[in-house]
Amino acid sequence: QVQLVESGGGLVQPGGSLRLSCAASGFTLDYYAIGWFRQAPGKEREGVSCISSSDGSTYYVDSVKGRFTISRDNTKNTIYLQMNSLNPEDTGFYYCARFPSRSGQGWYASVLKYYYGIDLWGKGTLVTVSS
């Protein structure tokens, strides 16, 4: 069974924090990059952040820089997304996805925008930021 399973979503007040997890099974996470994507109600899906497999480089879209942190724990085969200073615009379903690692920052930025090379998605976890 090859899959990604997200967890950690829930209801949080504006300004609060959540940590999402993306657990991989059926394959070794060491050989893949992982990205986080989200889809707000009535909006198109957008890339949020990703982390490479080769050197652990991380990338973020401008709207979450300084607030979100992506990390990898290969011993647990798990990717995390720490989300701080949440606001209502962060509400939505959050998905993790698998894609091949490549050299260069431009590749990871392109994956977040165009979903290049993605071959596996999780089913998502819901984050609701509301007072």
Side-chain angles (χ1 to χ4, degrees):
Q1 179 80 325
V2 177
Q3 63 181 161
L4 296 169
V5 179
E6 303 93 337
S7 63
L11 176 64
V12 63
Q13 294 185 352
S17 299
L18 285 174
R19 189 180 72 167
L20 305 183
S21 298
C22 173
S25 61
F27 68 97
T28 301
L29 198 57
D30 305 37
Y31 304 112
Y32 293 91
I34 297 292
W36 283 98
F37 302 79
R38 68 185 181 186
Q39 187 166 21
K43 303 291 185 179
E44 295 185 353
R45 189 172 298 185
E46 64 174 346
V48 176
S49 178
C50 61
I51 184 167
S52 71
S53 64
S54 56
D55 60 5
S57 298
T58 58
Y59 304 90
Y60 305 89
V61 296
D62 289 343
S63 61
V64 306
K65 286 181 180 177
R67 300 189 298 121
F68 290 11
T69 303
I70 190 171
S71 61
R72 174 192 295 268
D73 187 343
N74 287 340
T75 65
K76 297 181 179 179
N77 229 29
T78 300
I79 301 293
Y80 303 98
L81 184 67
Q82 178 67 45
M83 306 186 296
N84 299 325
S85 301
L86 288 164
N87 58 64
E89 289 72 33
D90 297 314
T91 292
F93 278 94
Y94 282 70
Y95 306 86
C96 59
R98 182 181 77 175
F99 62 95
S101 289
R102 297 286 188 270
S103 297
Q105 182 175 344
W107 165 250
Y108 298 97
S110 295
V111 171
L112 290 179
K113 185 173 183 179
Y114 301 112
Y115 306 172
Y116 288 162
I118 293 176
D119 65 356
L120 182 67
W121 289 89
K123 289 185 169 59
T125 185
L126 178 61
V127 172
T128 303
V129 185
S130 176
S131 59

